[in-house]
Amino acid sequence: MLFSPMNLGELELNNRLVMAPLTRVRSGKEGIPGPLVVEYYRQRASLGLIVSEGTFPSHAGRGFPGQPGLVTEEQFGGWAKVTSAVHAEGGRIFAQVMHAGRVTHEATTGGYEVVAPSAIAIDGETRTYEGKKTLPVPHALTADELPGVVEEFVTASRNAIGAGFDGVELHSANGYLLHEFLSPASNQRDDVYGGSPENRARFVIEVTEAVVAAIGADRVGIRISPEHNIQGALEQDAADVRATYGHLVDTLAPLKLAYLSVLHKEPTGGLVQDLRSRFGGKFLLNTGFSSITTPEEASSLVADGHADAVVVGRPAIANPDLVRRWREGLPVNEPDQATFYSEGAEGYTDYPAYQN
């Protein structure tokens, strides 16, 4: 079943392997995808769906040097070449819209203020254009400022569709801005956006509803990572996690989104499968970072009814023809982690396809 077609919104995917949104930082200081980025995504178009690396919806939302954006005309033009190349190969591609929140520094944002739900810094460092720097105490967004951030997501999503993407994935995982609102460790507000699970889910719901209103539900997916406990977005109370994500999914379900994508170390466990049943729509699973997903694991997740499609990261980095290799049981290339966040073609577009 892993290699059978699947409908996703109004799209028909050729198979149920989804390329994870993978940070690759090859878009330069201006955040413009160039020919190397075009080739990278084109090579991987045989995957059922490509989800792009996280793209920033505003200058303040930029998290990494070399990260691409959806803010300027030049960035739109770069992405239009990417989407055209993927479509020419018969592929489908969504843009992941990602606001870094407090996981950035003004030396990366170009002087724009770092923002978050609460004025709580992450204990750690981040890479900037000026070298590694301590993560700053962010500005706590006021209730009056939040509609402007919602509009940033909406505008970026419209820009993505204008650049030829088939849809967008809202990044509400891995400790970035939307996830920061969900986590009680990073969200310590005392207004309607903080405190209870329902309040902490409110901003994510508002962003999703606004993007759906702008581009249509069948073009919108969302990614979550409950209990991932990364980048200070800690979720260590199991009852609170169930309440928060249960409310989030219950509220999003009637919107009829294209999909819900979940990253969790226990994909067949009670929490994840409860969220699947509550969502009721297309459900994508990613098993996390502890071990590389195998073809056997991916096949069983779909065949046993735990997921409609499986999201893979490192295998897709190292194998542009991953679908063929897994379907035919061919040997695979091993990913070179030292080149994940470097520059140039090495470890990016130079992984070979299988030769007969």
Side-chain angles (χ1 to χ4, degrees), residues 22-250:
L22 298 157
T23 301
R24 303 309 308 275
V25 296
R26 258 68 169 197
S27 293
K29 194 166 185 178
E30 299 305 317
I32 303 169
L36 200 64
V37 179
V38 174
E39 177 62 10
Y40 170 73
Y41 285 108
R42 185 201 66 78
Q43 290 175 346
R44 289 154 179 81
S46 62
L47 288 150
L49 176 67
I50 292 172
V51 182
S52 82
E53 60 209 282
T55 58
F56 56 89
S58 64
H59 294 293
R62 185 173 194 171
F64 319 110
Q67 183 186 10
L70 280 165
V71 179
T72 70
E73 293 288 344
E74 292 79 11
Q75 291 164 0
F76 312 154
W79 279 123
K81 294 175 182 176
V82 171
T83 59
S84 292
V86 170
H87 290 152
E89 298 289 337
R92 301 294 192 180
I93 183 168
F94 272 40
Q96 190 190 64
V97 183
M98 173 201 139
H99 192 302
R102 63 180 183 164
V103 192
T104 190
H105 192 281
E106 290 183 3
T108 297
T109 66
Y112 287 84
E113 189 173 37
V114 176
V115 300
S118 301
I120 304 169
I122 300 172
D123 182 13
E125 293 182 326
T126 185
R127 292 177 298 111
T128 78
Y129 290 107
E130 300 170 7
K132 286 190 175 181
K133 290 184 178 290
T134 300
L135 286 158
V137 176
H139 164 68
L141 289 160
T142 67
D144 289 342
E145 291 171 323
L146 290 179
V149 180
V150 172
E151 189 56 34
E152 291 172 357
F153 277 92
V154 169
T155 300
S157 298
R158 285 198 178 108
N159 292 340
I161 300 303
F165 282 100
D166 297 297
V168 303
E169 175 179 284
L170 300 175
H171 195 358
S172 187
N174 296 358
Y176 299 109
L177 182 67
L178 296 184
H179 192 191
E180 290 166 12
F181 273 89
L182 296 171
S183 165
S186 49
N187 180 351
Q188 297 184 13
R189 302 172 69 97
D190 59 6
D191 62 2
V192 297
Y193 293 96
S196 69
E198 294 78 12
N199 280 357
R200 281 184 276 114
R202 187 184 306 274
F203 184 65
V204 179
I205 293 166
E206 289 181 355
V207 168
T208 308
E209 289 175 340
V211 173
V212 164
I215 67 172
D218 61 328
R219 288 180 165 184
V220 181
I222 187 168
R223 182 171 173 86
I224 59 175
S225 61
E227 299 180 317
H228 196 34
N229 296 325
I230 191 172
Q231 301 191 132
L234 305 180
E235 295 165 327
Q236 297 173 316
D237 180 330
D240 184 82
V241 170
R242 284 184 174 272
T244 303
Y245 285 90
H247 175 73
L248 175 66
V249 171
D250 286 347

Side-chain angles (χ1 to χ4, degrees), residues 283-329:
F283 194 72
L284 281 51
L285 269 182
N286 185 273
T287 57
F289 303 134
S290 58
S291 62
I292 295 178
T293 303
T294 65
E296 294 77 17
E297 179 184 19
S299 293
S300 67
L301 286 172
V302 174
D304 296 343
H306 296 300
D308 296 295
V310 178
V311 183
V312 294
R314 284 164 288 182
I317 287 177
N319 298 276
D321 55 345
L322 182 67
V323 174
R324 181 193 173 196
R325 289 178 189 255
W326 277 12
R327 185 176 56 227
E328 299 180 16

Side-chain angles (χ1 to χ4, degrees), residues 1-9 11-20 47-51 169 222-223 258-264 267-268 272-273 276 279 281-288 293-295 297-313 323 326:
M1 288 185 63
L2 190 62
F3 305 103
S4 64
M6 181 181 84
N7 290 327
L8 196 74
L11 299 177
E12 181 171 309
L13 309 186
N14 292 326
N15 56 73
R16 295 163 186 261
L17 279 171
V18 177
M19 179 171 157
L47 288 150
L49 176 67
I50 292 172
V51 182
E169 175 179 284
I222 187 168
R223 182 171 173 86
Y259 65 82
L260 171 64
S261 181
V262 178
L263 185 154
H264 197 277
T268 64
V272 173
Q273 292 304 310
R276 182 186 187 188
F279 183 65
K282 289 296 188 297
F283 194 72
L284 281 51
L285 269 182
N286 185 273
T287 57
T293 303
T294 65
E297 179 184 19
S299 293
S300 67
L301 286 172
V302 174
D304 296 343
H306 296 300
D308 296 295
V310 178
V311 183
V312 294
V323 174
W326 277 12

